[in-house]
Amino acid sequence: MTTLTERASPPARATARPSLVGLDRVRLGRALAEIGVPERQVNMRVAQLWHWIYLRGATDFGAMTSLSQDLRFALDRAYTLPRPEIVDEQVSDDGTRKWLLRFPAGGAGRPVEVETVYIPEEGRGTLCLSSQVGCTLSCTFCHTGTQTLARNLTAGEIVAQILLARDRLDDHPGRSAPANGATSRTGRLITNVVMMGMGEPLYNFDNVKDALLIATDGGGIGLSKRRITLSTSGVVPMIPRAGAEIGVMLAVSLHAARDDLRNELVPLNRKYPIADLLAACRTYPGVSNARRITFEYVMLKDVNDGIDDARQLVRLLAGIPAKINLIPFNPWPGAPYECSDWDQIERFADVVNRAGYASPIRTPRGRDILAACGQLKSASERLRIRERLALEAMIAR
Ligand code: SAH
Ligand code: SF4
């Protein structure tokens, strides 16, 4: 593991100038009209700015050579294109990178910190974004769940995580040739995005929606909706809207096949029990065998990893186009669980496979830098040395 603490990106200054990052095209047009861009030019200027901000990753209006000098000055006087401050950047032995990012208070309260993780794999690279600072839910196996919610991230802050990762990986399509070592078809390092960092994305619906529509806009970041996955712990009333209004792939954190056990692991289940959750999955807009729902299942030793649990799980999912993702539990200090033994995970996976489901066992990535699923937490609550040593001993076991 290496730690590079640095401030390579322009730090987000406390400034009265609003940021343009995260505005949709209509709001961007309004921002241009406000500084005097004539009505008939607005659409063209929006397209130009969009290209600079999202395809080329510009952080400086002065670099926007397709705009007149007057307009560049006017933009610079009125607006900014900030990046969050990088408080810490860690690179795992397996190439996973984790950034601890600080966003200014923006309105009220203190600045907040979130984590963003990049996971390189053969032929693709996945960026895991946070949607909230902390989480209002408290799933008993999740580290983030032990941190109370500080606030929702804005659309700009969610999009800024993508732009910052592209800065650090030199992966802006309009700025750099395909990176060395990029093995994806597109030649880019970041090929996929998952909303699986800190927070429950469906409890910050409007901002997540705005951010993901920007991420999928073909004139800019341009990710396909099939390459973005939104993971929810089961906020049932928002699931149809996620499908209809955002249209990305859905992942559901199921983790148990019985209500009594799921009530314990994912307390939100008391409000939205399994039957309601699965009903929302069956009718998820666009669901088909080509666009399956991923069911995430964390493997907790002697809690939910029995063969009977596996059988119940496949019975439950009958008829839903599904993939089952088995996630070895990632430990954190004070966690009340252990990860299932490897041969038990394989036995569980066998039952699921024999029922006709693909059930990849997710290889834990970035565990040495606490970047794996459910290990994220803000630095304001970072581990004390004693906790870290305890964790390292746990991982080494
Ligand atoms: N709040 C959303 C998305 C963030 S969590 C949700 O719960 O789906 C992303 C995934 O990591 C979820 O499936 C979550 O259940 C899982 N997870 C949380 N803590 C974990 C841990 N300690 N080990 C393995 N997976 C974990
Ligand atoms: Fe929140 Fe998801 Fe963690 Fe549950 S698993 S506490 S919903 S971040």
Side-chain angles (χ1 to χ4, degrees):
M1 178 199 358
T2 46
T3 300
L4 323 162
T5 301
E6 55 182 301
R7 275 152 214 215
S9 303
R13 275 170 292 154
T15 165
R17 289 178 298 160
S19 166
L20 295 183
V21 175
L23 300 188
D24 61 19
R25 286 174 184 266
V26 174
R27 292 189 188 112
L28 194 55
R30 264 187 237 134
L32 287 173
E34 270 171 33
I35 58 165
V37 172
E39 178 76 46
R40 62 192 147 73
Q41 281 188 16
V42 165
N43 285 348
M44 179 188 72
R45 296 297 178 213
V46 165
Q48 286 174 317
L49 260 178
W50 199 271
H51 173 93
W52 282 106
I53 299 173
Y54 296 116
L55 204 76
R56 301 179 73 117
T59 53
D60 176 7
F61 296 108
M64 300 185 176
T65 45
S66 56
L67 305 182
S68 72
Q69 208 171 39
D70 284 352
L71 180 56
R72 282 184 258 158
F73 282 143
L75 283 165
D76 193 47
R77 271 195 303 275
Y79 302 117
T80 54
L81 296 170
R83 294 289 193 263
E85 179 184 342
I86 301 176
V87 179
D88 193 20
E89 176 177 85
Q90 289 179 284
V91 185
S92 160
D93 297 337
D94 68 16
T96 300
R97 278 169 192 251
K98 180 172 83 167
W99 294 280
L100 177 66
L101 304 177
R102 180 178 295 142
F103 292 99
R110 54 192 168 83
V112 291
E113 290 173 353
V114 296
E115 293 185 319
T116 304
V117 179
Y118 171 71
I119 307 148
E121 288 169 292
E122 192 58 42
R124 63 197 234 155
T126 302
L127 191 65
C128 178
L129 305 182
S130 291
S131 56
Q132 297 184 308
V133 188
C135 189
T136 53
L137 302 171
S138 34
C139 305
T140 46
F141 50 84
C142 174
H143 202 201
T144 309
T146 64
Q147 187 186 349
T148 52
L149 180 78
R151 70 165 168 85
N152 283 334
L153 292 181
T154 64
E157 289 165 339
I158 297 168
V159 172
Q161 295 173 64
I162 306 178
L163 298 179
L164 180 124
R166 278 187 163 177
D167 291 348
R168 298 298 297 150
L169 298 168
D170 197 13
D171 199 35
H172 288 287
R175 189 155 89 189
S176 52
N180 281 338
T183 48
S184 69
R185 197 174 40 79
T186 55
R188 308 263 49 108
L189 291 173
I190 300 170
T191 58
N192 292 59
V193 161
V194 291
M195 297 300 304
M196 293 188 188
M198 293 164 60
E200 168 49 58
L202 295 188
Y203 276 155
N204 185 15
F205 185 83
D206 292 338
N207 292 337
V208 166
K209 171 182 164 181
D210 288 352
L212 294 184
L213 293 183
I214 289 174
T216 52
D217 184 301
I221 296 172
L223 286 163
S224 147
K225 291 191 176 184
R226 305 182 59 121
R227 290 184 170 272
I228 299 186
T229 302
L230 184 153
S231 174
T232 180
S233 58
V235 186
V236 168
M238 301 308 285
I239 290 178
R241 284 191 62 194
E245 297 176 34
I246 313 178
V248 295
M249 307 297 281
L250 182 69
V252 170
S253 296
L254 194 59
H255 306 318
R258 306 189 315 265
D259 278 321
D260 60 332
L261 182 56
R262 195 164 188 272
N263 284 346
E264 207 180 288
L265 302 177
V266 184
L268 186 63
N269 195 70
R270 296 191 198 125
K271 201 162 174 192
Y272 307 119
I274 294 175
D276 297 1
L277 178 57
L278 295 186
C281 292
R282 283 179 216 281
T283 52
Y284 185 68
V287 68
S288 69
N289 280 334
R291 288 169 63 94
R292 289 166 191 265
I293 294 177
T294 302
F295 288 90
E296 295 159 286
Y297 197 98
V298 61
M299 298 300 296
L300 305 171
K301 185 174 184 168
D302 299 332
V303 174
N304 65 354
D305 65 348
I307 294 306
D308 279 349
D309 294 290
R311 293 204 184 106
Q312 237 171 330
L313 176 66
V314 294
R315 274 202 300 273
L316 199 62
L317 298 185
I320 303 180
K323 278 188 282 203
I324 298 170
N325 207 336
L326 301 179
I327 315 175
F329 170 66
N330 291 308
W332 41 273
Y337 302 107
E338 279 178 63
C339 181
S340 307
D341 296 331
W342 198 256
D343 46 349
Q344 186 59 24
I345 300 182
E346 287 189 336
R347 278 197 288 273
F348 194 103
D350 270 351
V351 174
V352 172
N353 284 331
R354 268 188 271 119
Y357 293 98
S359 63
I361 303 172
R362 196 187 289 170
T363 328
R365 300 293 303 266
R367 270 191 181 179
D368 58 334
I369 56 169
L370 270 189
C373 299
Q375 292 184 312
L376 306 183
K377 219 177 166 190
S378 301
S380 46
E381 307 215 8
R382 245 177 309 175
L383 304 180
R384 289 191 296 273
I385 286 182
R386 208 180 314 135
E387 285 182 320
R388 178 165 278 284
L389 291 177
L391 179 80
E392 281 167 4
M394 229 188 281
I395 290 168
R397 255 190 258 139

